[in-house]
Amino acid sequence: MSVLETHPEDHEHVHHDESWLRKYVFSQDHKVIGIQYGFTALCFLLFGFLLMLMMRWQLAYPGQPIPIVGGILGADNAPGGIMLPEFYNQLGAMHGTIMVFLAIVPLAVGAFGNYVVPLQIGAPDMAFPKLNMMSYWVYATGGVVMFASFFVPGGAANSGWTSYPPLSVTATAGQSWWLLGMVLLITSSLLGSVNFIVTIFQLRVEGLTWMRLPFFVWAQLVTAFLLLLAFPPLEAAGFFQLMDRVLDTSFFMPSGLVVSGEVVRGAGGGSPLLWQHLFWFLAHPEVYVLILPAMGIVAEVIANNTRKPLWGYKSMVYASIFLGFMSFIVWAHHMFLTGMGTTISTFFQTTTMIISIPSVIILSALLLSLWGGSIRFNTPMLFALAFLPMFGIGGLTGLPLGFSATDIHLHDTYYVIGHFHYVVAPGTIFAMFAGVYYWFPKVTGRRMSDFLGKLHFWPSFVLMNCIFMPMFIQGLAGVSRRLYDGGMQYAHAQPVLHWNQFMSIAAFCLFFAQIPFVVNLFLSIKRGKECGDNPWQATTLEWAAAPSPPVAHGNFPQTPVVHRGPYEYSPPEHPKGFMPQHATVPASEEG
Amino acid sequence: MVEIPYNVEARPDTGLYNAKLGIWLFLASEVMLFGALFSSYVLLRTGDPNFMTIPHEIAEHLGGHGESHVWSDQLNVPLAFLNTLVLIFSSVTMVMSWVSLKLEDFGKYKLWMGLTCLCALGFMVIKAIEYNAKFSHDLFPSSGNFLAIYFTMTGLHALHVIGGLIVNGYLWGPGAKMWKTEPERFTNRIEVAGLYWHFVDLVWIFLFPSLYLL
Amino acid sequence: MTGHSVEEIKQEARKYWVVFVALVALTVITVGVSYLDLSTGMAVFVALLVACVKGGLVAGVFMHLISERQAIFAILLLTVIFFVVLMFGPTFGRIGSVGTS
């Protein structure tokens, strides 16, 4: 282990010594790992999206052969290209699993967190680089296991992404693969979250006090705590379910259960509700794992492009901590219709109403930050701005679901699907896009095309609403969420059935609306306009790690010292309009 | 490679070095893992009136062992008692190995750490005897939910013991080379491994009465 | 644990052996009590009490929690709160639920 001072020339030296494999595959550099996470997660995002497109075809045109891919799905899944109900169930379960655990969380935490957090706190790397590498490879293995499960007999998991027993215990072999994959993914995020918390606690540079941290770092810190403490119960539940399936135990299997006229083997005496408790103990905090990093990215982009400090930075920080804390005691609002007692329902209904307060504080603070700003409408800013109303719709439509009385009507309908997709799809995913456009110059030293970016943004924005808004209409009419024909056989669904085609066509168009993004991403790596070290004239530390991309292992040519808060835009004494956190004199040479 | 700050020495404002904070965070997540197991145990046991009752067909099959009709009487308290002592002793030897390094007595360290590993091995041997006795009476996790909980919790705990054994074995053998080059860092490693090992002991302290004695 | 002088560390080591004896004694007690004919509630209370004392000794002395830093306490406090929620939440969920009394 060398104890050399961090001179740039030493880095160059080390740099050349590393083998290709160490540098790009089994790298311990947080920037490379961040890119690995990002690339893998984007691939899974596309894959999950394709699964959804097949489902949308089936919902809009039930019984008609799927175009293009129909022929290659195999006779077990889609004979003659016509989707079987069993295959539809696989797609539903795996779309949810892949989007949540393999696409969005790895993108938000693994990619952006890994790349940006050490840079924003002025650290040379994460606290445990080897653990970081392991975390990625365990995640990748989990992804492979999940993907491979499509090819085992009976296909992938088909009991919904929530995997409720007893259905999941009696399901085909794919469910065991799902559980194995989940154990790997849980292990990966456990390693990651320990690493993030230690990094943020221990590796902040001199002067970077807690209240000088960029909001993105705060969001990542709270997220890491959620992952650390909420995931283990699901790991335990996963072991239980695996034992129920493999060793015929009865943790989740009640006595005398009869399936298809046959008494299910095993001793019985178990509780199906136990799984739901343990699952939602994770899965509700998981919602905030999906949303907090997104809020962090949006906060960075908005502060940067309004050219003024965030409004109510401290309230936002406290709100996010409170949000994280409360997210552990709301889980049973997913279980109002399980026959749980009314007293306990009232308790969880109350905590659910309380948790909406910090979300509203953060959203309001972001909204008020726009007031009086001289806003730059570049691509990242457009996505960040769109996040606000989209997340607002997603959040507000959640309230009727949080009340135990109104939930009776809405539970398990398309209304729920519309609600959480508004939070996650035009909400979180838009924030992820904002992050990609915003930090691309940091990663490559080049800008993505603003024209292609806008060509990506506007159609996506319109189409997202075309897909998810009608779901509220269908849900209020009472259309159940897991029907493989979209509700054709139900009389009460008939008046709203025509929306299915509308939504599906919008979804297909959304696919084409992503082409400018993919083209932009790959073209800009080599052909994008070179943009210097600080193209957005930002104040936070990641832009001090010049050049872009920062040097491997070490990041900063000189360890910076922080003198002020994260968003010192438009300080009156400074004509250039911004003061980086590390700048000692008002005049900045960068940008 | 660059040096990560506070890898060895403590950061002034937190008073901790990285690995120590890291292991405590890991243990926090472990608390939640075993918390979920204990919570499930409570829920299943209070939820099923027949949770502790041995079904007739199994009781008959058990023959001489089946005088009692309560599952927990099937568990071997003396062996578990012995195992508790072994694990507690190994906790002391673990902390003594750290003390030896603090006193810069590497020979003593080797002795105490070796004893810790032997205790872990002993624990596993006794555990194996216990499991084997269950299997030879055709008692499996599927026999009833009490046994299912018993096998899951003690099994998961045993996995933790094996994990600790591997780490401690490494630190006793090949990993001990670090003492010559970076003694302070090595002492930290022993402290961190110790924290994990004590936690494994702590889990057993709660497992023992709640499974064997109640 | 930041015992620096040799004497301090040796004193620390003696403490560990005292705790060891205490742990063995408590183990004997808890096994002994289990042979008494206590009511279920009392038996659970005693067993958990003894386990908590033993756990406290291990965490406090062997894991040096008594003299540990604030950051660790904060993290553990958070964990304990969620641990309690996890322990009691699911079981309380049954109060007044359909199908049980």
Side-chain angles (χ1 to χ4, degrees), chain A residues 1 11 202-204 228-229 232 240 243 247-248 250-251 553, chain B residues 2-6 11 14 16 18 29 32-33 40 142 145 152:
Chain A
M1 189 70 56
H11 285 309
Q202 296 281 96
L203 302 190
R204 282 169 291 126
L228 182 78
L229 299 177
F240 284 152
M243 289 188 70
L247 298 178
D248 290 337
S250 304
F251 292 113
H553 304 296
Chain B
V2 282
E3 281 286 285
I4 305 289
Y6 310 116
R11 181 183 164 106
T14 57
L16 300 162
N18 294 342
S29 86
M32 296 307 283
L33 176 70
S40 306
S142 54
N145 264 350
T152 313

PDB file of all heavy atoms in Angstrom, chain A residues 1 11 202-204 228-229 232 240 243 247-248 250-251 553, chain B residues 2-6 11 14 16 18 29 32-33 40 142 145 152:
ATOM      1  N   MET A   1       0.862  -1.209   0.000  1.00  0.00           N
ATOM      2  CA  MET A   1       0.000   0.000   0.000  1.00  0.00           C
ATOM      3  C   MET A   1       0.881   1.236   0.000  1.00  0.00           C
ATOM      4  O   MET A   1       1.704   1.446   0.888  1.00  0.00           O
ATOM      5  CB  MET A   1      -0.877  -0.042   1.237  1.00  0.00           C
ATOM      6  CG  MET A   1      -1.960   0.991   1.278  1.00  0.00           C
ATOM      7  SD  MET A   1      -3.303   0.762   0.107  1.00  0.00           S
ATOM      8  CE  MET A   1      -3.875  -0.871   0.496  1.00  0.00           C
ATOM      9  N   HIS A  11      -0.635   9.666 -10.034  1.00  0.00           N
ATOM     10  CA  HIS A  11      -1.864   9.048 -10.541  1.00  0.00           C
ATOM     11  C   HIS A  11      -1.642   8.507 -11.934  1.00  0.00           C
ATOM     12  O   HIS A  11      -2.002   7.398 -12.254  1.00  0.00           O
ATOM     13  CB  HIS A  11      -2.989  10.079 -10.588  1.00  0.00           C
ATOM     14  CG  HIS A  11      -3.519  10.370  -9.235  1.00  0.00           C
ATOM     15  ND1 HIS A  11      -3.907   9.389  -8.383  1.00  0.00           N
ATOM     16  CD2 HIS A  11      -3.708  11.545  -8.592  1.00  0.00           C
ATOM     17  CE1 HIS A  11      -4.324   9.938  -7.262  1.00  0.00           C
ATOM     18  NE2 HIS A  11      -4.205  11.237  -7.363  1.00  0.00           N
ATOM     19  N   GLN A 202     -17.523   9.963   7.239  1.00  0.00           N
ATOM     20  CA  GLN A 202     -16.085  10.001   7.516  1.00  0.00           C
ATOM     21  C   GLN A 202     -15.265  10.811   6.511  1.00  0.00           C
ATOM     22  O   GLN A 202     -14.205  11.284   6.853  1.00  0.00           O
ATOM     23  CB  GLN A 202     -15.526   8.572   7.559  1.00  0.00           C
ATOM     24  CG  GLN A 202     -16.085   7.715   8.667  1.00  0.00           C
ATOM     25  CD  GLN A 202     -15.440   8.020  10.003  1.00  0.00           C
ATOM     26  OE1 GLN A 202     -15.946   8.779  10.813  1.00  0.00           O
ATOM     27  NE2 GLN A 202     -14.279   7.425  10.229  1.00  0.00           N
ATOM     28  N   LEU A 203     -15.721  10.895   5.284  1.00  0.00           N
ATOM     29  CA  LEU A 203     -14.820  11.416   4.253  1.00  0.00           C
ATOM     30  C   LEU A 203     -15.163  12.822   3.781  1.00  0.00           C
ATOM     31  O   LEU A 203     -14.678  13.264   2.753  1.00  0.00           O
ATOM     32  CB  LEU A 203     -14.775  10.457   3.046  1.00  0.00           C
ATOM     33  CG  LEU A 203     -14.336   9.018   3.342  1.00  0.00           C
ATOM     34  CD1 LEU A 203     -14.103   8.262   2.046  1.00  0.00           C
ATOM     35  CD2 LEU A 203     -13.078   8.971   4.177  1.00  0.00           C
ATOM     36  N   ARG A 204     -16.050  13.530   4.492  1.00  0.00           N
ATOM     37  CA  ARG A 204     -16.294  14.921   4.108  1.00  0.00           C
ATOM     38  C   ARG A 204     -15.013  15.727   4.290  1.00  0.00           C
ATOM     39  O   ARG A 204     -14.306  15.554   5.274  1.00  0.00           O
ATOM     40  CB  ARG A 204     -17.405  15.511   4.990  1.00  0.00           C
ATOM     41  CG  ARG A 204     -18.791  15.075   4.579  1.00  0.00           C
ATOM     42  CD  ARG A 204     -19.804  15.466   5.630  1.00  0.00           C
ATOM     43  NE  ARG A 204     -19.616  14.689   6.842  1.00  0.00           N
ATOM     44  CZ  ARG A 204     -19.456  15.226   8.041  1.00  0.00           C
ATOM     45  NH1 ARG A 204     -19.461  16.528   8.196  1.00  0.00           N
ATOM     46  NH2 ARG A 204     -19.307  14.458   9.099  1.00  0.00           N
ATOM     47  N   LEU A 228     -30.405   0.111   4.647  1.00  0.00           N
ATOM     48  CA  LEU A 228     -29.688  -0.649   5.669  1.00  0.00           C
ATOM     49  C   LEU A 228     -30.650  -1.332   6.634  1.00  0.00           C
ATOM     50  O   LEU A 228     -30.472  -2.495   6.988  1.00  0.00           O
ATOM     51  CB  LEU A 228     -28.761   0.290   6.445  1.00  0.00           C
ATOM     52  CG  LEU A 228     -27.900  -0.358   7.526  1.00  0.00           C
ATOM     53  CD1 LEU A 228     -26.714  -1.055   6.902  1.00  0.00           C
ATOM     54  CD2 LEU A 228     -27.417   0.676   8.525  1.00  0.00           C
ATOM     55  N   LEU A 229     -31.673  -0.608   7.076  1.00  0.00           N
ATOM     56  CA  LEU A 229     -32.502  -1.127   8.160  1.00  0.00           C
ATOM     57  C   LEU A 229     -33.800  -1.769   7.676  1.00  0.00           C
ATOM     58  O   LEU A 229     -34.412  -2.550   8.404  1.00  0.00           O
ATOM     59  CB  LEU A 229     -32.816  -0.013   9.160  1.00  0.00           C
ATOM     60  CG  LEU A 229     -31.587   0.597   9.835  1.00  0.00           C
ATOM     61  CD1 LEU A 229     -31.982   1.734  10.744  1.00  0.00           C
ATOM     62  CD2 LEU A 229     -30.829  -0.456  10.630  1.00  0.00           C
ATOM     63  N   PRO A 232     -33.189  -5.986   5.643  1.00  0.00           N
ATOM     64  CA  PRO A 232     -32.989  -7.294   6.304  1.00  0.00           C
ATOM     65  C   PRO A 232     -34.273  -8.069   6.591  1.00  0.00           C
ATOM     66  O   PRO A 232     -34.281  -9.294   6.401  1.00  0.00           O
ATOM     67  CB  PRO A 232     -32.246  -6.928   7.591  1.00  0.00           C
ATOM     68  CG  PRO A 232     -31.527  -5.683   7.256  1.00  0.00           C
ATOM     69  CD  PRO A 232     -32.432  -4.930   6.341  1.00  0.00           C
ATOM     70  N   PHE A 240     -37.577 -17.580   4.685  1.00  0.00           N
ATOM     71  CA  PHE A 240     -38.774 -18.326   5.080  1.00  0.00           C
ATOM     72  C   PHE A 240     -39.494 -18.890   3.856  1.00  0.00           C
ATOM     73  O   PHE A 240     -39.859 -20.062   3.819  1.00  0.00           O
ATOM     74  CB  PHE A 240     -39.745 -17.414   5.847  1.00  0.00           C
ATOM     75  CG  PHE A 240     -39.337 -17.128   7.258  1.00  0.00           C
ATOM     76  CD1 PHE A 240     -39.728 -15.948   7.885  1.00  0.00           C
ATOM     77  CD2 PHE A 240     -38.583 -18.026   7.989  1.00  0.00           C
ATOM     78  CE1 PHE A 240     -39.361 -15.678   9.190  1.00  0.00           C
ATOM     79  CE2 PHE A 240     -38.209 -17.770   9.296  1.00  0.00           C
ATOM     80  CZ  PHE A 240     -38.608 -16.584   9.894  1.00  0.00           C
ATOM     81  N   MET A 243     -37.718 -21.689   2.276  1.00  0.00           N
ATOM     82  CA  MET A 243     -37.873 -22.924   3.044  1.00  0.00           C
ATOM     83  C   MET A 243     -39.261 -23.519   2.842  1.00  0.00           C
ATOM     84  O   MET A 243     -39.409 -24.732   2.727  1.00  0.00           O
ATOM     85  CB  MET A 243     -37.620 -22.661   4.532  1.00  0.00           C
ATOM     86  CG  MET A 243     -36.153 -22.403   4.808  1.00  0.00           C
ATOM     87  SD  MET A 243     -35.781 -22.312   6.544  1.00  0.00           S
ATOM     88  CE  MET A 243     -36.008 -23.994   7.077  1.00  0.00           C
ATOM     89  N   LEU A 247     -38.213 -26.865   1.500  1.00  0.00           N
ATOM     90  CA  LEU A 247     -38.186 -27.838   2.594  1.00  0.00           C
ATOM     91  C   LEU A 247     -39.573 -28.135   3.159  1.00  0.00           C
ATOM     92  O   LEU A 247     -39.692 -28.776   4.191  1.00  0.00           O
ATOM     93  CB  LEU A 247     -37.271 -27.328   3.723  1.00  0.00           C
ATOM     94  CG  LEU A 247     -35.801 -27.134   3.351  1.00  0.00           C
ATOM     95  CD1 LEU A 247     -35.025 -26.574   4.528  1.00  0.00           C
ATOM     96  CD2 LEU A 247     -35.188 -28.454   2.898  1.00  0.00           C
ATOM     97  N   ASP A 248     -40.624 -27.627   2.509  1.00  0.00           N
ATOM     98  CA  ASP A 248     -42.000 -27.901   2.932  1.00  0.00           C
ATOM     99  C   ASP A 248     -42.311 -27.443   4.347  1.00  0.00           C
ATOM    100  O   ASP A 248     -43.121 -28.048   5.046  1.00  0.00           O
ATOM    101  CB  ASP A 248     -42.309 -29.408   2.844  1.00  0.00           C
ATOM    102  CG  ASP A 248     -42.390 -29.845   1.407  1.00  0.00           C
ATOM    103  OD1 ASP A 248     -42.636 -28.976   0.563  1.00  0.00           O
ATOM    104  OD2 ASP A 248     -42.204 -31.036   1.135  1.00  0.00           O
ATOM    105  N   SER A 250     -43.983 -24.488   6.905  1.00  0.00           N
ATOM    106  CA  SER A 250     -45.293 -23.833   6.780  1.00  0.00           C
ATOM    107  C   SER A 250     -45.301 -22.445   7.397  1.00  0.00           C
ATOM    108  O   SER A 250     -46.270 -22.057   8.023  1.00  0.00           O
ATOM    109  CB  SER A 250     -46.371 -24.683   7.449  1.00  0.00           C
ATOM    110  OG  SER A 250     -46.373 -25.963   6.906  1.00  0.00           O
ATOM    111  N   PHE A 251     -44.234 -21.701   7.224  1.00  0.00           N
ATOM    112  CA  PHE A 251     -44.211 -20.351   7.803  1.00  0.00           C
ATOM    113  C   PHE A 251     -45.382 -19.511   7.325  1.00  0.00           C
ATOM    114  O   PHE A 251     -46.010 -18.805   8.092  1.00  0.00           O
ATOM    115  CB  PHE A 251     -42.911 -19.638   7.448  1.00  0.00           C
ATOM    116  CG  PHE A 251     -41.700 -20.227   8.083  1.00  0.00           C
ATOM    117  CD1 PHE A 251     -40.727 -20.857   7.317  1.00  0.00           C
ATOM    118  CD2 PHE A 251     -41.536 -20.157   9.451  1.00  0.00           C
ATOM    119  CE1 PHE A 251     -39.609 -21.393   7.909  1.00  0.00           C
ATOM    120  CE2 PHE A 251     -40.415 -20.696  10.056  1.00  0.00           C
ATOM    121  CZ  PHE A 251     -39.453 -21.324   9.281  1.00  0.00           C
ATOM    122  N   HIS A 553      -8.965   7.047  -9.238  1.00  0.00           N
ATOM    123  CA  HIS A 553      -8.417   6.920  -7.886  1.00  0.00           C
ATOM    124  C   HIS A 553      -7.861   8.230  -7.374  1.00  0.00           C
ATOM    125  O   HIS A 553      -6.686   8.527  -7.526  1.00  0.00           O
ATOM    126  CB  HIS A 553      -7.329   5.849  -7.827  1.00  0.00           C
ATOM    127  CG  HIS A 553      -7.797   4.530  -8.311  1.00  0.00           C
ATOM    128  ND1 HIS A 553      -8.786   3.807  -7.677  1.00  0.00           N
ATOM    129  CD2 HIS A 553      -7.435   3.803  -9.380  1.00  0.00           C
ATOM    130  CE1 HIS A 553      -8.982   2.693  -8.315  1.00  0.00           C
ATOM    131  NE2 HIS A 553      -8.191   2.651  -9.359  1.00  0.00           N
TER     132      HIS A 553
ATOM    133  N   VAL B   2      -4.856   5.357  -3.989  1.00  0.00           N
ATOM    134  CA  VAL B   2      -4.733   6.445  -3.036  1.00  0.00           C
ATOM    135  C   VAL B   2      -5.115   5.936  -1.662  1.00  0.00           C
ATOM    136  O   VAL B   2      -5.840   4.966  -1.525  1.00  0.00           O
ATOM    137  CB  VAL B   2      -5.672   7.608  -3.388  1.00  0.00           C
ATOM    138  CG1 VAL B   2      -5.103   8.408  -4.518  1.00  0.00           C
ATOM    139  CG2 VAL B   2      -7.059   7.120  -3.684  1.00  0.00           C
ATOM    140  N   GLU B   3      -4.615   6.627  -0.671  1.00  0.00           N
ATOM    141  CA  GLU B   3      -5.014   6.310   0.692  1.00  0.00           C
ATOM    142  C   GLU B   3      -6.387   6.904   0.964  1.00  0.00           C
ATOM    143  O   GLU B   3      -6.626   8.074   0.700  1.00  0.00           O
ATOM    144  CB  GLU B   3      -4.002   6.907   1.669  1.00  0.00           C
ATOM    145  CG  GLU B   3      -2.731   6.092   1.787  1.00  0.00           C
ATOM    146  CD  GLU B   3      -2.945   4.820   2.577  1.00  0.00           C
ATOM    147  OE1 GLU B   3      -3.057   4.899   3.800  1.00  0.00           O
ATOM    148  OE2 GLU B   3      -2.999   3.737   1.942  1.00  0.00           O
ATOM    149  N   ILE B   4      -7.290   6.102   1.472  1.00  0.00           N
ATOM    150  CA  ILE B   4      -8.574   6.627   1.916  1.00  0.00           C
ATOM    151  C   ILE B   4      -8.359   7.228   3.300  1.00  0.00           C
ATOM    152  O   ILE B   4      -7.779   6.578   4.170  1.00  0.00           O
ATOM    153  CB  ILE B   4      -9.611   5.496   1.998  1.00  0.00           C
ATOM    154  CG1 ILE B   4      -9.717   4.745   0.678  1.00  0.00           C
ATOM    155  CG2 ILE B   4     -10.964   6.027   2.452  1.00  0.00           C
ATOM    156  CD1 ILE B   4     -10.357   5.501  -0.431  1.00  0.00           C
ATOM    157  N   PRO B   5      -8.807   8.447   3.525  1.00  0.00           N
ATOM    158  CA  PRO B   5      -8.605   9.053   4.849  1.00  0.00           C
ATOM    159  C   PRO B   5      -9.303   8.245   5.948  1.00  0.00           C
ATOM    160  O   PRO B   5     -10.335   7.626   5.699  1.00  0.00           O
ATOM    161  CB  PRO B   5      -9.245  10.437   4.708  1.00  0.00           C
ATOM    162  CG  PRO B   5      -9.380  10.678   3.249  1.00  0.00           C
ATOM    163  CD  PRO B   5      -9.466   9.345   2.600  1.00  0.00           C
ATOM    164  N   TYR B   6      -8.740   8.285   7.129  1.00  0.00           N
ATOM    165  CA  TYR B   6      -9.323   7.685   8.348  1.00  0.00           C
ATOM    166  C   TYR B   6      -9.507   6.174   8.228  1.00  0.00           C
ATOM    167  O   TYR B   6     -10.416   5.604   8.791  1.00  0.00           O
ATOM    168  CB  TYR B   6     -10.638   8.371   8.723  1.00  0.00           C
ATOM    169  CG  TYR B   6     -10.487   9.858   8.750  1.00  0.00           C
ATOM    170  CD1 TYR B   6     -11.176  10.674   7.867  1.00  0.00           C
ATOM    171  CD2 TYR B   6      -9.596  10.450   9.641  1.00  0.00           C
ATOM    172  CE1 TYR B   6     -10.990  12.041   7.867  1.00  0.00           C
ATOM    173  CE2 TYR B   6      -9.403  11.819   9.653  1.00  0.00           C
ATOM    174  CZ  TYR B   6     -10.107  12.606   8.759  1.00  0.00           C
ATOM    175  OH  TYR B   6      -9.909  13.959   8.760  1.00  0.00           O
ATOM    176  N   ARG B  11     -11.297   9.695  12.821  1.00  0.00           N
ATOM    177  CA  ARG B  11     -11.618  11.053  12.384  1.00  0.00           C
ATOM    178  C   ARG B  11     -11.964  11.873  13.624  1.00  0.00           C
ATOM    179  O   ARG B  11     -12.745  11.444  14.469  1.00  0.00           O
ATOM    180  CB  ARG B  11     -12.806  11.018  11.430  1.00  0.00           C
ATOM    181  CG  ARG B  11     -13.223  12.380  10.887  1.00  0.00           C
ATOM    182  CD  ARG B  11     -14.455  12.246  10.008  1.00  0.00           C
ATOM    183  NE  ARG B  11     -15.090  13.534   9.784  1.00  0.00           N
ATOM    184  CZ  ARG B  11     -15.034  14.208   8.635  1.00  0.00           C
ATOM    185  NH1 ARG B  11     -14.381  13.716   7.612  1.00  0.00           N
ATOM    186  NH2 ARG B  11     -15.633  15.372   8.507  1.00  0.00           N
ATOM    187  N   THR B  14     -15.951  12.486  14.509  1.00  0.00           N
ATOM    188  CA  THR B  14     -16.752  11.320  14.867  1.00  0.00           C
ATOM    189  C   THR B  14     -16.047  10.441  15.888  1.00  0.00           C
ATOM    190  O   THR B  14     -16.682   9.649  16.576  1.00  0.00           O
ATOM    191  CB  THR B  14     -17.062  10.437  13.641  1.00  0.00           C
ATOM    192  OG1 THR B  14     -15.829  10.047  13.047  1.00  0.00           O
ATOM    193  CG2 THR B  14     -17.911  11.162  12.628  1.00  0.00           C
ATOM    194  N   LEU B  16     -14.088   8.003  15.191  1.00  0.00           N
ATOM    195  CA  LEU B  16     -14.116   6.616  14.714  1.00  0.00           C
ATOM    196  C   LEU B  16     -13.242   6.458  13.482  1.00  0.00           C
ATOM    197  O   LEU B  16     -13.071   7.404  12.715  1.00  0.00           O
ATOM    198  CB  LEU B  16     -15.545   6.228  14.335  1.00  0.00           C
ATOM    199  CG  LEU B  16     -16.612   6.292  15.416  1.00  0.00           C
ATOM    200  CD1 LEU B  16     -17.982   6.302  14.780  1.00  0.00           C
ATOM    201  CD2 LEU B  16     -16.461   5.108  16.345  1.00  0.00           C
ATOM    202  N   ASN B  18     -12.923   4.280   9.828  1.00  0.00           N
ATOM    203  CA  ASN B  18     -13.967   3.866   8.875  1.00  0.00           C
ATOM    204  C   ASN B  18     -14.548   2.492   9.171  1.00  0.00           C
ATOM    205  O   ASN B  18     -15.767   2.313   9.213  1.00  0.00           O
ATOM    206  CB  ASN B  18     -13.400   3.862   7.453  1.00  0.00           C
ATOM    207  CG  ASN B  18     -13.032   5.253   7.001  1.00  0.00           C
ATOM    208  OD1 ASN B  18     -13.480   6.232   7.586  1.00  0.00           O
ATOM    209  ND2 ASN B  18     -12.203   5.351   5.990  1.00  0.00           N
ATOM    210  N   SER B  29     -27.873  -3.622  10.785  1.00  0.00           N
ATOM    211  CA  SER B  29     -28.726  -4.345   9.828  1.00  0.00           C
ATOM    212  C   SER B  29     -28.947  -5.781  10.290  1.00  0.00           C
ATOM    213  O   SER B  29     -30.024  -6.348  10.087  1.00  0.00           O
ATOM    214  CB  SER B  29     -28.119  -4.306   8.433  1.00  0.00           C
ATOM    215  OG  SER B  29     -27.206  -5.344   8.262  1.00  0.00           O
ATOM    216  N   MET B  32     -31.752  -5.963  12.640  1.00  0.00           N
ATOM    217  CA  MET B  32     -33.048  -5.980  11.953  1.00  0.00           C
ATOM    218  C   MET B  32     -33.333  -7.360  11.358  1.00  0.00           C
ATOM    219  O   MET B  32     -34.480  -7.804  11.322  1.00  0.00           O
ATOM    220  CB  MET B  32     -33.092  -4.924  10.847  1.00  0.00           C
ATOM    221  CG  MET B  32     -32.988  -3.510  11.340  1.00  0.00           C
ATOM    222  SD  MET B  32     -34.182  -3.092  12.621  1.00  0.00           S
ATOM    223  CE  MET B  32     -35.663  -2.879  11.673  1.00  0.00           C
ATOM    224  N   LEU B  33     -32.285  -8.037  10.875  1.00  0.00           N
ATOM    225  CA  LEU B  33     -32.483  -9.381  10.323  1.00  0.00           C
ATOM    226  C   LEU B  33     -32.981 -10.334  11.409  1.00  0.00           C
ATOM    227  O   LEU B  33     -34.006 -11.002  11.258  1.00  0.00           O
ATOM    228  CB  LEU B  33     -31.173  -9.903   9.722  1.00  0.00           C
ATOM    229  CG  LEU B  33     -31.222 -11.329   9.191  1.00  0.00           C
ATOM    230  CD1 LEU B  33     -32.069 -11.388   7.932  1.00  0.00           C
ATOM    231  CD2 LEU B  33     -29.836 -11.863   8.895  1.00  0.00           C
ATOM    232  N   SER B  40     -41.188 -12.942  13.797  1.00  0.00           N
ATOM    233  CA  SER B  40     -41.950 -14.005  13.148  1.00  0.00           C
ATOM    234  C   SER B  40     -42.229 -15.141  14.132  1.00  0.00           C
ATOM    235  O   SER B  40     -43.331 -15.714  14.150  1.00  0.00           O
ATOM    236  CB  SER B  40     -41.173 -14.570  11.961  1.00  0.00           C
ATOM    237  OG  SER B  40     -40.802 -13.537  11.097  1.00  0.00           O
ATOM    238  N   SER B 142     -39.912 -29.511   8.261  1.00  0.00           N
ATOM    239  CA  SER B 142     -41.303 -29.649   7.822  1.00  0.00           C
ATOM    240  C   SER B 142     -42.184 -30.324   8.858  1.00  0.00           C
ATOM    241  O   SER B 142     -43.400 -30.381   8.706  1.00  0.00           O
ATOM    242  CB  SER B 142     -41.345 -30.437   6.513  1.00  0.00           C
ATOM    243  OG  SER B 142     -40.676 -31.654   6.675  1.00  0.00           O
ATOM    244  N   ASN B 145     -44.033 -26.081  12.781  1.00  0.00           N
ATOM    245  CA  ASN B 145     -43.463 -24.741  12.671  1.00  0.00           C
ATOM    246  C   ASN B 145     -42.464 -24.412  13.776  1.00  0.00           C
ATOM    247  O   ASN B 145     -41.578 -23.595  13.578  1.00  0.00           O
ATOM    248  CB  ASN B 145     -44.574 -23.696  12.643  1.00  0.00           C
ATOM    249  CG  ASN B 145     -44.902 -23.316  11.210  1.00  0.00           C
ATOM    250  OD1 ASN B 145     -44.181 -23.693  10.290  1.00  0.00           O
ATOM    251  ND2 ASN B 145     -45.979 -22.593  11.033  1.00  0.00           N
ATOM    252  N   THR B 152     -34.371 -22.726  11.308  1.00  0.00           N
ATOM    253  CA  THR B 152     -34.029 -21.493  10.592  1.00  0.00           C
ATOM    254  C   THR B 152     -33.162 -20.580  11.444  1.00  0.00           C
ATOM    255  O   THR B 152     -32.126 -20.083  10.996  1.00  0.00           O
ATOM    256  CB  THR B 152     -35.304 -20.720  10.204  1.00  0.00           C
ATOM    257  OG1 THR B 152     -36.233 -21.627   9.636  1.00  0.00           O
ATOM    258  CG2 THR B 152     -35.000 -19.630   9.209  1.00  0.00           C
TER     259      THR B 152
END
